[in-house]
Amino acid sequence: MSFVKENVNRQPIVDTVFSIVKKAKEDKEKIGEENVVDATIGSLYNEQGSLVALDSVFSSLKSLDNKVLAAYAASFTGNDDFKDRVYKWVLNGNSHLHHEVIATPGGTGAVAMTIQECLDVGQTVILPEIAWGSYNLMAQMNNLSVKTYALFEEDHFNLTSFKETCEQVMKEQDKLVIVINDPCHNPTGYSLSSQEWKDVIAFLNECSKTHKVVLLNDIAYIDFAYGQKLAKEYFSVFDDISENMAVIVAFSLSKSMTSYGLRCGAAIVMAQTEDIVQELKIVFEKDARATWSNINNGAMAAFVDVIDHHLKEYDQERLQYVALLKKRSELFVKEANEVGLKHYPYKEGFFVTLSMDNTTRDAYHEALMKNHIYTVKVNKGIRVAVCSLSLDKIKGLAKKMKDILDTI
Ligand code: PLP
């Protein structure tokens, strides 16, 4: 007998990030900031090495009336104006499906709610083989099994593996719940082409002839996609989903507004029929009420204010950092290619990931730390957070990393 549920896993979280962040910090204190490469931090940092907090967002937040900050949200699904602006901002006119928006604590809330409410204990959720760690933890906390699809076939999305994985799961259960983290996949930086999305949807439509299909599209980093508005055009492909399928788009203000700590995001539920949307909305609303009750009112109000009154400043400010991110990643990828440091196909986003087997990865990760280079281990790779590394620190880094790899 234990104090917690009998069937919950009681092992501590395997922490692959914060313990390394701490080591990097200690090393910086010991030998000086300039002698350490800290590629662990997954938030956007400026060239001076501090966290980016967009002025347009935080001056809006600070200008709100205290009563707005103090108040509960208008409903368990969020404020109407917030839901309206989220839908318009995210979809940008690219969807004609029935929809509902449910405000959530970050993208985490949207992903967790979907995984928790769409599958029964013992069922299987389909995840990418290399992925944000929280997906697996969410599956574990809900007593779900996990099946993964390989992400790449050479430099492209591995549709074959995706199909095989779905087909295996379809033999065991009557429903598919699939996570696709796109665009700007964490941690590889891959984004599916519109043809790849069309192929995915065409296949899922086939699956939906016999099985219910829930596609969870985690778009956490979308507002840093290099194509910006063009990167949202793939949503129009969802207009072709069948009537036995739902799409849930998980949106995060953490990245879009650089407001990680305000804990605000949304689940955008979309389907061909109002019935499907309402079924999901009703259950999600109850899940919200039973867990976090309602969402940070100030964060929702600031998002609305930014979209309605400060869009130009917000766009200008964000685009400046999108351009910086592009410069950083281009520099790292170019130098990596020049020295033959193998990485997964990177298109855009916060991270570049070096590809290797897990045995090499473990030895390499240690060797990098001995050389004062701090990175994060991911399945089959080493994640380099270009989002928080200055251009100065990136210059020459790939060569150093390749030299260390050659000693393993
Ligand atoms: N999805 C991915 C792939 C992420 O990397 C993150 C955060 O790191 C999230 C979702 C959720 O972030 P938040 O809950 O802060 O919005």
Side-chain angles (χ1 to χ4, degrees), residues 220-243:
Y221 298 85
I222 196 166
D223 286 316
F224 287 86
Y226 299 147
Q228 289 291 298
K229 286 199 166 83
L230 295 180
K232 296 180 171 176
E233 287 182 355
Y234 79 94
F235 288 127
S236 65
V237 177
F238 297 165
D239 278 5
D240 294 331
I241 61 172
S242 81
E243 293 201 356

Side-chain angles (χ1 to χ4, degrees), residues 12 29 40 43 94 101 116 135 140 149 163 167 179 185 262 291 293 295 299-300 318 322 345 351 353 358 374 386 399:
E29 278 159 10
T40 58
S43 309
N94 289 302
V101 177
Q116 178 164 323
Y135 300 141
Q140 191 190 93
Y149 54 92
K163 286 183 177 178
E167 279 158 3
V179 177
H185 172 260
L262 291 180
T291 48
S293 174
I295 295 302
M300 286 193 282
R318 192 186 72 262
V322 172
F351 311 106
T353 291
N358 286 344
Y374 294 83
V386 288
K399 163 102 175 67

Side-chain angles (χ1 to χ4, degrees), residues 97-160:
L97 293 167
H98 290 267
H99 61 270
E100 282 279 356
V101 177
I102 292 106
T104 56
T108 303
V111 177
M113 175 185 250
T114 306
I115 289 179
Q116 178 164 323
E117 298 304 337
C118 293
L119 286 166
D120 287 299
V121 169
Q123 288 192 310
T124 299
V125 59
I126 298 176
L127 302 177
E129 178 185 48
I130 308 170
W132 182 47
S134 296
Y135 300 141
N136 273 292
L137 184 60
M138 290 168 188
Q140 191 190 93
M141 294 307 285
N142 289 291
N143 287 304
L144 301 174
S145 299
V146 169
K147 273 220 162 57
T148 61
Y149 54 92
L151 274 169
F152 304 113
E153 201 167 21
E154 295 177 0
D155 274 0
H156 300 287
F157 182 69
N158 195 333
L159 190 65
T160 315

Side-chain angles (χ1 to χ4, degrees), residues 42 105-109 111 132 135 181 185-186 218-221 251-255 260 263-265 351:
T108 303
V111 177
W132 182 47
Y135 300 141
N181 172 207
H185 172 260
N186 173 8
D218 181 353
I219 60 160
Y221 298 85
F251 174 57
S252 165
L253 262 64
S254 301
K255 329 288 167 182
Y260 315 88
R263 309 308 305 137
C264 190
F351 311 106

Side-chain angles (χ1 to χ4, degrees), residues 39-297:
T40 58
I41 303 164
S43 309
L44 190 62
Y45 272 50
N46 63 20
E47 286 291 280
Q48 289 69 48
S50 55
L51 182 73
V52 172
L54 297 177
D55 280 339
S56 47
V57 172
F58 292 95
S59 39
S60 160
L61 182 80
K62 286 177 186 164
S63 72
L64 295 174
D65 190 293
N66 286 350
K67 291 190 184 66
V68 172
L69 300 174
Y72 278 132
S75 94
F76 299 109
T77 57
N79 299 335
D80 285 343
D81 54 0
F82 173 75
K83 293 189 276 186
D84 173 72
R85 301 314 183 275
V86 164
Y87 180 74
K88 289 185 178 138
W89 173 255
V90 172
L91 277 307
N92 197 38
N94 289 302
S95 178
H96 301 92
L97 293 167
H98 290 267
H99 61 270
E100 282 279 356
V101 177
I102 292 106
T104 56
T108 303
V111 177
M113 175 185 250
T114 306
I115 289 179
Q116 178 164 323
E117 298 304 337
C118 293
L119 286 166
D120 287 299
V121 169
Q123 288 192 310
T124 299
V125 59
I126 298 176
L127 302 177
E129 178 185 48
I130 308 170
W132 182 47
S134 296
Y135 300 141
N136 273 292
L137 184 60
M138 290 168 188
Q140 191 190 93
M141 294 307 285
N142 289 291
N143 287 304
L144 301 174
S145 299
V146 169
K147 273 220 162 57
T148 61
Y149 54 92
L151 274 169
F152 304 113
E153 201 167 21
E154 295 177 0
D155 274 0
H156 300 287
F157 182 69
N158 195 333
L159 190 65
T160 315
S161 171
F162 182 78
K163 286 183 177 178
E164 282 168 6
T165 310
C166 292
E167 279 158 3
Q168 276 174 23
V169 174
M170 283 162 71
K171 286 185 194 141
E172 295 156 16
Q173 63 193 48
D174 58 3
K175 189 196 293 174
L176 289 177
V177 176
I178 304 152
V179 177
I180 299 186
N181 172 207
D182 188 271
C184 314
H185 172 260
N186 173 8
T188 66
Y190 190 74
S191 294
L192 271 71
S193 67
S194 99
Q195 187 55 49
E196 285 171 330
W197 266 117
K198 281 183 192 154
D199 294 343
V200 165
I201 296 300
F203 170 71
L204 293 179
N205 279 342
E206 280 303 307
C207 299
S208 75
K209 288 181 180 162
T210 51
H211 290 65
K212 295 228 175 301
V213 177
V214 177
L215 170 63
L216 174 55
N217 179 200
D218 181 353
I219 60 160
Y221 298 85
I222 196 166
D223 286 316
F224 287 86
Y226 299 147
Q228 289 291 298
K229 286 199 166 83
L230 295 180
K232 296 180 171 176
E233 287 182 355
Y234 79 94
F235 288 127
S236 65
V237 177
F238 297 165
D239 278 5
D240 294 331
I241 61 172
S242 81
E243 293 201 356
N244 205 25
M245 184 166 162
V247 177
I248 294 153
V249 173
F251 174 57
S252 165
L253 262 64
S254 301
K255 329 288 167 182
S256 292
M257 298 267 138
T258 67
S259 59
Y260 315 88
L262 291 180
R263 309 308 305 137
C264 190
I268 306 169
V269 177
M270 305 194 293
Q272 290 295 359
T273 69
E274 192 54 26
D275 283 356
I276 299 176
V277 171
Q278 286 311 314
E279 179 181 313
L280 285 155
K281 186 223 157 181
I282 287 167
V283 173
F284 283 9
E285 180 172 8
K286 289 200 287 191
D287 181 294
R289 185 169 188 182
T291 48
W292 55 75
S293 174
N294 64 116
I295 295 302
N296 185 326
N297 199 49

